[in-house]
Amino acid sequence: CRFGMLPPGDPGRKVLVIGDGTNALTQLPVPDPREHVLKVRGEVDCSGPMDALPIKLNATALGYPDYELRMTAREAKGHASTLPVLAAKFRPAAGSFALESQSATSVAALNEDFTWRAAGTCLGLFSRAASGGLLRAPFWLPKEWDLALHRRKAALYLNQGYPLTLEEEIEFALPAKAQPAVLPGVRENSTIPLRWRVEWVKIGDDKLVARLHAELAQGELTVAETPVLQQQLRELLAALADGASLPAAP
C-alpha cells in the first residue's frame, strides 16, 4: 500500500504511540471520503448495432480503492488478459461487460495513483420497445452493496471500514442523424450515510453524458444507520435503472 495508508480497521481507533513522553492513548484520524475515491470514465459507441456496444473504460483510484485494486492486479497477474481487474470488486449497474483488452499501472509504482484502462463491449444496455428503446449507463458499483441490501439484524461493515466516493462519467456517441433523446431528470439524495446524484445531459446533437456521484460517508454503520443506508441504496438503484429514451429511427 502507499505511504500514509492505515491498515483496514485502524482509522479512528485509539492506539498507544511508542515514544518519549507518551503515556496515553492517541486517536487516529477518521478517514475522509474525499481521500478514498474511484473515478471511472467510459466512452460507449452507439453508432452500430445496439445489442453489443463497444466501450472504452478508464478507472483511477485513490486511498483504499487504490490499495484494493493493486491487490487484485497482483493476485490476477497470471490471468491479466482474461480477468477485468475492476470486476473483482465492482460490477456494472446495467448490462454486462465483456473484456477485450486491458492495462494497468504497475503494482509497485506506489508514487502513482493506480489506473486501469480497458476496452470491450457492453451487453444489455439497450432495451427495445415499439417506440424506440431505453439506454442505460454502465456505472460501476461495489459488489458488496448488493449484500448490504439483505435483511439484517446486525450493523454493516463495508469497504473494510473506509468511506468511499464514486465519481463516474459515461459518454455515449450516437449516430450522426439520431433522433433527439428524452433524458431523465436529475435524481439525488443529499443526506448521509449515502449521498448520491445521477444526471444525464446532452452534448451537441450526437452525444449524451451520464454522471454519477456517490459518497459513502463511513464504512462502519450502526444498527440504526443500516436501514437508512439500505433505503438510500434502493433509491439509488432505482435511479440507475432509468435512462435515456431513444425514439425509433425514421
Side-chain angles (χ1 to χ4, degrees):
C1 65
R2 302 176 73 181
F3 182 78
M5 180 81 183
L6 289 171
D10 280 5
R13 303 286 192 244
K14 290 185 177 181
V15 299
L16 178 63
V17 178
I18 305 300
D20 294 337
T22 60
N23 55 8
L25 294 178
T26 299
Q27 185 167 6
L28 295 174
V30 175
D32 188 331
R34 294 172 297 181
E35 297 176 354
H36 302 273
V37 183
L38 178 68
K39 300 178 182 180
V40 178
R41 176 169 173 78
E43 296 179 0
V44 182
D45 183 0
C46 300
S47 61
M50 301 294 281
D51 297 326
L53 299 174
I55 184 172
K56 294 180 180 178
L57 290 166
N58 185 305
T60 303
L62 298 81
Y64 182 72
D66 176 282
Y67 168 78
E68 189 173 50
L69 291 182
R70 284 179 197 273
M71 293 290 291
T72 300
R74 186 176 69 178
E75 293 169 359
K77 189 174 182 180
H79 307 278
S81 62
T82 59
L83 300 177
V85 170
L86 192 60
K89 298 293 183 180
F90 295 82
R91 56 95 176 169
S96 300
F97 173 65
L99 177 69
E100 293 180 1
S101 63
Q102 68 177 338
S103 61
T105 304
S106 168
V107 174
L110 296 177
N111 60 327
E112 303 176 26
D113 295 333
F114 186 86
T115 300
W116 173 76
R117 299 177 181 86
T121 55
C122 273
L123 311 173
L125 293 186
F126 185 71
S127 302
R128 299 183 185 279
S131 59
L134 184 70
L135 180 64
R136 295 185 295 161
F139 295 121
W140 291 76
L141 301 179
K143 289 183 176 179
E144 64 179 354
W145 285 11
D146 291 340
L147 300 176
L149 288 170
H150 297 310
R151 187 172 182 177
R152 302 179 58 88
K153 295 183 180 180
L156 265 174
Y157 189 71
L158 298 172
N159 206 42
Q160 289 295 303
Y162 283 99
L164 175 63
T165 298
L166 300 176
E167 294 284 359
E168 305 192 32
E169 181 175 284
I170 308 295
E171 180 181 290
F172 299 88
L174 303 178
K177 297 182 179 180
Q179 297 295 307
V182 178
L183 305 185
V186 175
R187 303 274 295 274
E188 64 182 324
N189 170 65
S190 58
T191 59
I192 59 173
L194 180 62
R195 298 187 182 98
W196 57 265
R197 177 183 174 92
V198 180
E199 65 174 339
W200 287 72
V201 297
K202 294 180 181 179
I203 306 295
D205 296 329
D206 59 353
K207 287 185 180 179
L208 303 177
V209 174
R211 298 188 180 104
L212 166 66
H213 171 85
E215 182 182 298
L216 178 66
Q218 71 265 7
E220 293 186 77
L221 295 113
T222 66
V223 173
E225 292 169 331
T226 294
V228 178
L229 170 80
Q230 290 176 322
Q231 178 60 30
Q232 293 171 343
L233 184 53
R234 284 191 288 266
E235 293 170 356
L236 170 60
L237 294 175
L240 296 181
D242 203 355
S245 296
L246 304 182

